[in-house]
Every structure is written in structure tokens, then in C-alpha cells.
Amino acid sequence: PPPPPPPPQPTLGHMGSRNDDDGNYKSSTSTAADVSADIDISDEFFFGGGGGRKGEKGGGQDASDSHVDENEPEIRRHLRAQRLANRDAKMAAALKEQQAVEAAERDTRANVAALKEQHRASIDAWTAKNKGNIRGLIVALPQVLWPGADWKPMGVQDLLDAKQVRKAYMKANLLVHPDKVRQRGGSEEQLAVADMVFDALKDGWDKFQH
């Protein structure tokens, strides 16, 4: 009988082939799905923090960035470099945005502090004149509020009993509460005035309760 045909030889893909650790043939032909699976391996493998290879101490640069694999498919190398570039760009943009927010907050605090000094004399006079009395503070509240404030002036006749005082105080508290003013988009000057008036009213309310 004729000799048996030779066993079929593995077909090399466009990227060639390699043997695994046991000497068995393993195709290295890459498909889009293979590359996607490789790229989607956990960020800890490709972009893990702490630098260096897994299990190694130290190292400031990720091992996957510095290690060059000559057999790595070009498409995988390209996609990994693109992913790293996108990550770095996002981190830089987030840092820049955070720095801008913090700078704006510092400027706002400095401006509000300066505006408080401008209004301190009038608000101190309003507080001293009424001697911390909540009824007097509420009746004279229009003297220290900013122009256009949503406040209807009240008289002593509107604050005769405790329920009326409480209702008036709660309404004034909502008007000048610093967080509420900020939520309404109040100006820095309104924030400065509101903060000081809020404290004076709270002190007057505490005295009234006790």
C-alpha cells in the first residue's frame, strides 16, 4: 500500500506563528476581536498604578509602556498607544478643570471678604441699634438688604406673638441663607451681605428662644 500522506502542516497567518511553553503550535494571527480582547484586559495590567511590572517594587513608568515586544502585532501596539494618549489627555483636562474651579473659588472668597469689610459698618450699626432683638432686626431688615431683595417690609404689629415671629424669622432666614443665595446665582456682594445678616438674625433668634 502507498505510504500515508504526511500530517497537514499548520498554516501561518499574516503575523506568523509561535510555539507555546510546551512546544505546541500556537497561531499568532491576530483578528480585530483578538486585538479588542487584548486591549480590553484590565487597566491594572496595562495602566496599573505604582509603576513597574506586577510584583516588582519601585519604577515610575508602567512596564507596558517601556517594554518593547518585537513580536507584538502592530495594530495592538497602535491601539495601546492611542489608549494611553487618550488617558493622559483626559487626566490633563480634568486636572486643568479642577485647578480652574479652585482658582475661581479662591477669588470668590477673597472678593466676598473684601465686600464684607465695605458693609460691616452698616450691618454692625443695624445689629447694635436693635440690640440683638429679633423683632427689631426683622422690622429694620430692609435697611441692610441688597437692592431688589425679595422681602416685604414688616411692622411690629406683624410680630406680636411667637408664631408670627417664628414665621417671619424663617422667611428671612431663607432669603439670606448663604447657600440659598448661592443657589439663586446671587452676586458676590449679595453673598457678603447675606452671610453677615444671616449670623445676626440667628443670634437674635437664639436669644428670643431662650
Side-chain angles (χ1 to χ4, degrees), residues 97-170:
E97 181 179 358
Q98 180 63 26
Q99 289 174 338
V101 169
E102 291 175 353
E105 289 177 349
R106 286 194 299 270
D107 291 344
T108 298
R109 286 194 296 268
N111 293 339
V112 168
L115 288 165
K116 281 185 177 181
E117 294 306 315
Q118 295 181 19
H119 291 274
R120 189 172 302 281
S122 62
I123 292 178
D124 285 350
W126 163 71
T127 305
K129 181 179 180 180
N130 294 285
K131 300 179 181 179
N133 181 282
I134 189 63
R135 287 186 172 92
L137 291 172
I138 291 174
V139 170
L141 187 58
Q143 297 174 10
V144 292
L145 288 178
W146 54 89
D150 185 18
W151 179 256
K152 182 180 179 180
M154 297 184 181
V156 177
Q157 69 278 5
D158 300 313
L159 305 169
L160 296 178
D161 59 50
K163 289 184 179 179
Q164 290 177 313
V165 173
R166 183 181 185 280
K167 182 178 179 180
Y169 168 71
M170 295 303 295

Side-chain angles (χ1 to χ4, degrees), residues 41-60:
I41 293 176
S42 71
D43 286 350
E44 183 179 357
F45 179 82
F46 282 122
F47 312 115
R53 290 180 181 275
K54 260 190 173 180
E56 293 180 354
K57 294 182 179 179

Side-chain angles (χ1 to χ4, degrees), residues 15 28 30 35 38 69 71-78:
M15 292 296 179
S28 63
S30 297
V35 172
D38 285 338
D69 182 0
N71 296 321
E72 182 180 37
E74 178 64 25
I75 186 171
R76 178 178 175 184
R77 183 162 51 248
H78 171 73

